[in-house]
Amino acid sequence: AAEISVRVPLDNWNDYIKVLSESPIETKAVTSATVYTIGDIIAQQTEGTKIGELDRLRTLRSLLAGFIGHGPMSHIWYNFSENIFESYLHWTAWWSFFPKVVLDQAMWSPLWNNTYIILLGLMKRESVETMWDDVKRTTIPLIVSGLKLWPLAHCVTYGLIPVENRLLWVDVVEIFWVTILATQAAGATKGDGEPSSGH
């Protein structure tokens, strides 16, 4: 029994690494879709929705945002930022994770948060004006909320985790963040329970 309890997780990890190396973008897309689904379900339950009354379309939109946006975009971002620091700046010392965290929070975080809001708005067929209003309404609160979580989490992301596994680590932390993001983006709800524009 002890051997099985060690072998099963190890075999699963090895299978994940194999799939990740063969299809990195697709694997990361599925991983993020799963996390965004879990996060939205948690967010809805935090808002008081019972499991049988979940807004399935809202959850589907979060799933698609993770699949279409977060997974592929994160793959590109982590490789791009690593390339800047290693190939151009040649900052590979132990302290190099500090500027990586700063760059992440200054560029990637606002870009992804606003992309998430826009993707959900497009899926709800909202007007450009509505989506823009939602981006303006949520940008600063999401940055402030993010500063409570991501700088510390990214000390691990950029300081300890190899670039090919960063999204998996981030997605584990992301379950907590997506709950915050989905709740913030759904902020003001319409009378019929549909999240307001911008989620």
Side-chain angles (χ1 to χ4, degrees), residues 13 82 92-98 100-101 151-167 169-170:
W13 175 254
E82 194 67 16
T92 57
W94 69 268
W95 53 264
S96 65
F97 74 89
F98 286 116
K100 290 177 186 178
V101 171
L152 182 59
H154 282 324
C155 288
V156 175
T157 305
Y158 292 106
L160 300 174
I161 308 293
V163 68
E164 65 273 9
N165 294 323
R166 284 183 184 157
L167 183 64
W169 157 252
V170 166

Side-chain angles (χ1 to χ4, degrees), residues 65-185:
F67 185 80
I68 296 166
H70 189 258
M73 288 175 66
S74 293
H75 173 80
I76 293 166
W77 169 257
Y78 290 123
N79 285 296
F80 169 77
S81 67
E82 194 67 16
N83 191 42
I84 288 173
F85 284 96
E86 287 192 3
S87 300
Y88 293 100
L89 298 175
H90 306 289
W91 291 357
T92 57
W94 69 268
W95 53 264
S96 65
F97 74 89
F98 286 116
K100 290 177 186 178
V101 171
V102 171
L103 184 66
D104 184 283
Q105 292 302 286
M107 291 184 63
W108 170 243
S109 179
L111 173 65
W112 169 245
N113 289 342
N114 288 326
T115 300
Y116 177 74
I117 300 299
I118 291 167
L119 280 172
L120 294 180
L122 288 170
M123 286 186 265
K124 288 166 38 178
R125 293 184 263 168
E126 293 178 337
S127 69
V128 172
E129 294 79 13
T130 299
M131 288 186 286
W132 178 243
D133 287 344
D134 290 335
V135 164
K136 291 188 295 186
R137 177 179 58 84
T138 59
T139 296
I140 298 302
L142 288 173
I143 289 171
V144 171
S145 294
L147 289 173
K148 297 172 187 173
L149 171 67
W150 287 112
L152 182 59
H154 282 324
C155 288
V156 175
T157 305
Y158 292 106
L160 300 174
I161 308 293
V163 68
E164 65 273 9
N165 294 323
R166 284 183 184 157
L167 183 64
L168 180 60
W169 157 252
V170 166
D171 275 343
V172 170
V173 179
E174 191 94 22
I175 290 176
F176 299 105
W177 176 241
V178 170
T179 303
I180 294 167
L181 182 64
T183 303
Q184 185 75 47

